[in-house]
């Protein structure tokens, strides 16, 4: 069964360091999302790609976060420098554009702890 | 202001009991989805509802979309320990490029 792949599963870093997360969506899914989920809360959209173009990054803290999807397939989310408040689960999801309901398929997430 | 309000925030019940969780909004959604998330994992889609008044059943789970497409409920009959998890509703508003907005979720614990 096709899955959304994410790495690393866990990342511990010190504040002010740089971190990067990688996501490989389900083959053929043109839309890719990065969500941040703080413990005990629902996912919050950080950035949405349609192919290689950013559709929505209104909630992305652009002073320290960046995201790219250069060839419209896999994607990287970077944080530099990391802050204590960035500790969270970073979830990647993909969907097949054209589906009326925009159903999302999530990866297992990357758990970030900033010390 | 949270676009989607879920209640209750926490629910702890005994195996075999019935329960209902709610997802409410003042906004109209073109579709609404329910996900279940287990600790350390990503959310998994349970159901999508798109028509006002729609009712969908998935084994012991019954999902309903409000007539005005502003709210939804999830009812579980005879809960099992395997139902334990975070239940998230997520709404998609028309013309929003498939952007899904999530509620904060209901954390359900089913005790043996």
């Amino acid at each position: 069964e096709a899955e959304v792949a994410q790495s690393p599963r866990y990342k511990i870093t010190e504040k002010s360091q740089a971190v990067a997360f990688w996501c490989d969506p389900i083959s053929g899914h043109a839309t890719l999302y990065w969500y941040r989920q703080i413990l005990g809360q629902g996912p919050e959209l950080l950035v949405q790609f349609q192919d290689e173009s950013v559709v929505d990054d209104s909630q992305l803290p652009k002073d320290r976060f960046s995201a790219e999807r250069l060839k419209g397939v896999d994607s990287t989310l970077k944080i530099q420098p990391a802050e204590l408040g960035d500790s969270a689960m970073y979830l990647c999801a993909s969907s097949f554009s054209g589906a009326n309901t925009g159903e999302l398929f999530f990866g297992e997430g990357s758990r970030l702890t900033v010390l | 202001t949270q676009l989607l309000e879920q209640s209750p925030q926490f629910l702890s019940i005994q195996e075999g009991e019935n329960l209902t969780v709610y997802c409410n909004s003042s906004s109209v959604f073109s579709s609404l989805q329910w996900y279940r998330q287990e600790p350390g994992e990503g959310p998994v889609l349970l159901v999508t509802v798109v028509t006002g008044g729609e009712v969908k059943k998935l084994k012991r789970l019954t999902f309903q979309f409000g007539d005005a497409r502003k709210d939804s409920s999830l009812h579980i009959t005879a809960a099992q320990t395997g139902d334990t998890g975070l239940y998230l509703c997520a709404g998609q508003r028309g013309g929003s490029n498939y952007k899904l907005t999530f509620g904060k979720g209901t954390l359900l614990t089913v005790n043996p």
Side-chain angles (χ1 to χ4, degrees):
Chain A
E1 183 175 315
E3 295 181 342
V4 175
Q6 288 190 248
S7 67
R9 284 293 307 272
Y10 305 94
K11 178 70 176 179
I12 301 174
T13 190
E14 295 184 344
K15 63 180 180 179
S16 80
Q17 296 299 305
V19 295
F21 305 110
W22 176 80
C23 173
D24 191 13
I26 293 173
S27 178
H29 280 194
T31 309
L32 184 147
Y33 312 77
W34 283 100
Y35 282 86
R36 176 171 60 187
Q37 185 176 27
I38 296 171
L39 192 63
Q41 298 190 19
E44 172 195 20
L45 180 68
L46 292 175
V47 62
Q48 178 182 340
F49 289 93
Q50 181 69 25
D51 298 310
E52 67 276 7
S53 300
V54 173
V55 173
D56 187 336
D57 64 355
S58 57
Q59 300 301 312
L60 187 71
K62 299 181 185 65
D63 57 335
R64 297 185 300 107
F65 286 64
S66 64
E68 60 182 16
R69 193 184 184 199
L70 294 176
K71 297 183 179 179
V73 180
D74 59 339
S75 176
T76 302
L77 177 70
K78 296 180 180 178
I79 308 173
Q80 182 173 16
E83 296 181 352
L84 296 177
D86 297 332
S87 295
M89 174 79 89
Y90 290 83
L91 293 163
C92 179
S94 69
S95 68
F96 175 66
S97 293
N100 293 331
T101 54
E103 299 179 24
L104 270 60
F105 298 85
F106 282 86
E108 292 183 313
S110 294
R111 168 74 66 187
L112 173 65
T113 301
V114 182
L115 304 176
Chain B
T1 303
Q2 189 73 16
L3 190 60
L4 282 166
E5 298 285 347
Q6 290 194 245
S7 61
Q9 188 176 357
F10 302 98
L11 185 58
S12 180
I13 62 171
Q14 295 300 121
E15 198 168 25
E17 292 183 0
N18 302 330
L19 66 113
T20 302
V21 298
Y22 301 92
C23 175
N24 295 298
S25 177
S26 58
S27 298
V28 175
F29 292 96
S30 59
S31 67
L32 198 139
Q33 300 177 354
W34 285 92
Y35 291 80
R36 180 170 66 211
Q37 185 178 22
E38 298 186 13
E41 304 292 332
V44 176
L45 181 67
L46 296 173
V47 78
T48 302
V49 286
V50 296
T51 304
E54 182 177 4
V55 177
K56 281 192 174 180
K57 292 191 174 184
L58 184 66
K59 296 183 180 178
R60 295 175 293 101
L61 278 59
T62 302
F63 304 85
Q64 185 163 9
F65 201 12
D67 291 341
R69 291 186 287 130
K70 293 181 178 182
D71 53 82
S72 181
S73 64
L74 159 59
H75 181 81
I76 301 178
T77 303
Q80 300 176 356
T81 55
D83 295 327
T84 293
L86 180 67
Y87 288 82
L88 295 159
C89 69
Q92 177 188 330
R93 299 167 74 177
S96 61
N97 290 317
Y98 301 133
K99 177 178 179 178
L100 273 184
T101 301
F102 282 83
K104 290 189 175 183
T106 292
L107 185 60
L108 171 65
T109 302
V110 182
N111 302 298

